[in-house]
Amino acid sequence: MGDVRDDGTGIDVLAATEGVRLLGHLSRVVHLLHNRTRPVMAAASGLEGPEFELLLRLWQQPGHTAQAAPLGEAIGLTSSGTTRLVARALTKGLISREPDPCDGRAFLLRHTPLGREKLHLALDAHTAQLRELLAETLPPATTARLIEDLAHWDAAL
C-alpha cells in the first residue's frame, strides 16, 4: 500500500489535518505536564496520580460525594480500573463509602479527614507548580482563552 490513495489523500495530508495536529499537541502537553507535576504532588502528599484525580473529582461533586462509576468515567477509567482505584483509596483511608439512600444497590464515596488533608497538600503543590509553569510558557490572556476554549469543547463532547 502506498503513501497516497486513489482518491488523492496521502498520509502526509491526513497527518497534517487540524484534528490530528490538535490531538497530538494535547496528548504531548498532557503527558509532559503529568511527568512534571505528578512527582511534585506525590512528594508533597504521598498521593499517586489516579488517587489525586479521584479525590479532586470527588471534591468537585455536589456535597463532595458521589458514586464510584461516574468518577471513574470522568477520570477515564474502565469499570475494573475504577474498582481497583476505589479499593486502593479505601485501604489507604482516603475515602469512605456508605449506602446511597437513593439507590439501595449503590454506595456513595466521601473523603475521610486524611483524604481531605492529602488532597489539600497535593493541591498546594500542584497549583504552585502549575502557576509557575504557566507563567513561564504562556501569556495570561492565552491561558485564559485556552481554559475557556477547552472547557467549551469538553462540554460539547
Side-chain angles (χ1 to χ4, degrees):
M1 181 166 217
D3 292 348
V4 180
R5 291 191 182 135
D6 291 341
D7 67 1
T9 57
I11 293 172
D12 289 336
V13 170
L14 295 170
T17 60
E18 287 179 336
V20 171
R21 290 175 45 226
L22 177 61
L23 186 57
H25 287 300
L26 286 172
S27 296
R28 179 169 163 69
V29 167
V30 167
H31 177 74
L32 291 171
L33 287 174
H34 278 167
N35 284 347
R36 289 185 187 184
T37 61
R38 295 285 166 93
V40 172
M41 279 194 315
S45 67
L47 293 175
E48 297 174 19
E51 295 165 349
F52 169 75
E53 291 293 334
L54 176 69
L55 293 176
L56 179 61
R57 302 287 176 144
L58 183 56
W59 187 262
Q60 293 168 336
Q61 299 303 306
H64 313 301
T65 186
Q67 293 181 5
L71 294 174
E73 185 178 310
I75 297 169
L77 297 175
T78 63
S79 176
S80 62
T82 301
T83 299
R84 287 191 302 274
L85 176 58
V86 167
R88 192 167 64 239
L90 284 164
T91 299
K92 290 184 174 185
L94 302 172
I95 59 172
S96 63
R97 67 180 206 163
E98 58 192 51
D100 184 338
C102 298
D103 181 350
R105 300 167 295 150
F107 291 90
L108 292 175
L109 305 179
R110 293 188 188 281
H111 298 90
T112 62
L114 176 65
R116 282 192 303 277
E117 177 186 341
K118 294 220 178 242
L119 176 60
H120 202 234
L121 290 169
L123 281 170
D124 280 342
H126 194 49
T127 55
Q129 185 182 22
L130 286 174
R131 189 178 303 115
E132 185 177 309
L133 282 169
L134 288 170
E136 292 172 356
T137 57
L138 291 174
T142 301
T143 300
R145 188 176 67 246
L146 185 58
I147 292 168
E148 183 179 322
D149 289 347
L150 287 174
H152 177 76
W153 193 25
D154 183 29
L157 293 173

